[in-house]
Amino acid sequence: MGKLTAARLQVLNADHIRNLARMEQSNEDVLVHSTDVPGGYIVPPHRHRRTQFLCVFAGVVLVATDRGRWMIPPGHALLIPRGLEHSVEMYSDVSMRSVYIYSPEGRASSLEPTVLEVTDLARQLIAATVRKDAMEEDRGREELVMALLLDEIGRLPERRLGLPFPASGRLAGLCRDFVEQPSPTVKIDDWARRLHMSRRTFTRFFRQEMGVSFVTWRQQACLFACLPRLAAGEPVTQVALDAGYESVPAFTTMFKRMLGASPRAYLTSRKAA
């Protein structure tokens, strides 16, 4: 992934500002936006007055807020609550479709970001709304497609791809270091010692700060580091060993627990989609 030139960054930032202004000024209840973005680009922190359903068709995206980080691989989407400031980082060349929903009903009323697995039906409906010109002559059909899309979004299964992240402090530093170089063998005692806490105090402190246990967070962080490499086509064995797992079966067990399928089955289904 090459470094973006200053000129390219200027164009991308200008496009983002222009599209954001257009969406914020629109009175449409549902808006759909399609975009292809090069790897390495980071959409600056911003917010919307609509709930955003950010769907990744190709590539891997990282959405960051003050509440945590969410990794979005191909075939998944992040539901971003209205008014929540967030940035979007492209881990690779990305093809995205976003549905912006003004009406605060159903899943659009969510107050917390949620990663969803996108079904074939939802994918086809989004593709149909992107080809809006083909439906403009039949307003009734357009309304039916939009209504079915919103209903399908409400039925999509959730996936645990969120990573709680402290805003500051020594714990934030440990978390950042771990995301850069994850290892499934890091122990609670290691971190407790570095923060000069007893194991019991650290365990309670970590759950209060993060909302999940240390073991759960460690598994999620390891998955974060592996998904972009797997999506890029790197061998499962190499990714598993680099992540610190002693064997591929151990890595596969963790992966299935988090995503409901083995790495190979998951990647095959994403490619077919």
Side-chain angles (χ1 to χ4, degrees):
M1 183 172 64
K3 185 177 181 180
L4 298 175
T5 65
R8 183 63 171 141
L9 283 173
Q10 186 175 10
V11 170
L12 291 168
N13 286 332
D15 286 345
H16 166 67
I17 293 172
R18 181 169 56 252
N19 290 326
L20 183 60
R22 179 180 61 81
M23 287 183 291
E24 293 302 291
Q25 293 167 6
S26 173
N27 292 321
E28 291 286 335
D29 185 57
V30 181
L31 295 171
V32 182
H33 179 64
S34 174
T35 182
D36 296 325
V37 189
Y41 179 61
I42 302 177
V43 180
H46 63 287
R47 53 171 55 92
H48 308 284
R49 64 189 182 101
R50 293 174 172 83
T51 297
Q52 180 182 6
F53 178 74
L54 189 159
C55 179
V56 178
F57 275 37
V60 177
V61 167
L62 179 70
V63 178
T65 76
D66 61 357
R67 303 182 192 178
R69 298 181 178 191
W70 287 263
M71 180 74 77
I72 320 299
H76 290 75
L78 180 66
L79 199 69
I80 305 174
R82 68 194 69 226
L84 178 63
E85 186 174 76
H86 59 283
S87 62
V88 185
E89 181 176 356
M90 316 304 156
Y91 267 48
S92 60
D93 291 346
V94 170
S95 180
M96 296 186 297
R97 311 290 182 266
S98 284
V99 181
Y100 298 91
I101 308 167
Y102 185 76
S103 176
E105 298 178 359
R107 225 165 201 162
S109 64
S110 174
L111 300 178
E112 294 296 330
T114 307
V115 179
L116 306 170
E117 184 173 349
V118 179
T119 60
D120 290 339
L121 176 57
R123 190 178 299 106
Q124 293 299 327
L125 290 170
I126 292 171
T129 60
V130 171
R131 299 189 299 268
K132 193 173 181 179
D133 291 343
M135 295 194 297
E136 284 184 344
E137 297 180 359
D138 189 342
R139 184 66 178 175
R141 178 179 176 80
E142 179 184 341
E143 292 176 353
L144 287 172
V145 170
M146 286 293 190
L148 183 56
L149 173 58
L150 295 180
D151 181 76
E152 185 65 7
I153 288 175
R155 299 171 185 269
L156 298 179
E158 296 185 13
R159 289 290 177 254
R160 294 187 297 173
L161 291 174
L163 189 68
F165 215 83
S168 60
R170 287 186 297 166
L171 180 59
L174 291 177
C175 290
R176 280 193 295 270
D177 291 344
F178 188 88
V179 170
E180 290 295 325
Q181 192 171 1
S183 170
T185 61
V186 170
K187 306 297 184 183
I188 291 177
D189 293 332
D190 298 332
W191 283 32
R193 185 163 50 251
R194 293 179 66 178
L195 294 183
H196 306 292
M197 295 180 180
S198 68
R199 178 188 176 93
R200 182 176 180 180
T201 299
F202 173 80
T203 300
R204 184 170 59 248
F205 168 73
F206 191 93
R207 184 175 286 277
Q208 288 174 344
E209 288 288 310
M210 311 292 270
V212 297
S213 71
F214 175 80
V215 172
T216 297
W217 187 90
R218 184 184 62 192
Q219 290 175 337
Q220 292 172 331
C222 285
L223 188 61
F224 260 45
C226 296
L227 275 176
R229 296 181 60 187
L230 291 171
E234 293 190 35
V236 174
T237 299
Q238 188 61 53
V239 172
L241 295 177
D242 288 349
Y245 285 85
E246 296 181 356
S247 67
V248 173
F251 176 75
T252 299
T253 297
M254 180 278 296
F255 199 97
K256 290 177 68 174
R257 186 184 302 118
M258 301 296 289
L259 285 177
S262 70
R264 288 189 175 88
Y266 170 81
L267 292 172
T268 298
S269 67
R270 293 306 105 202
K271 289 177 181 177

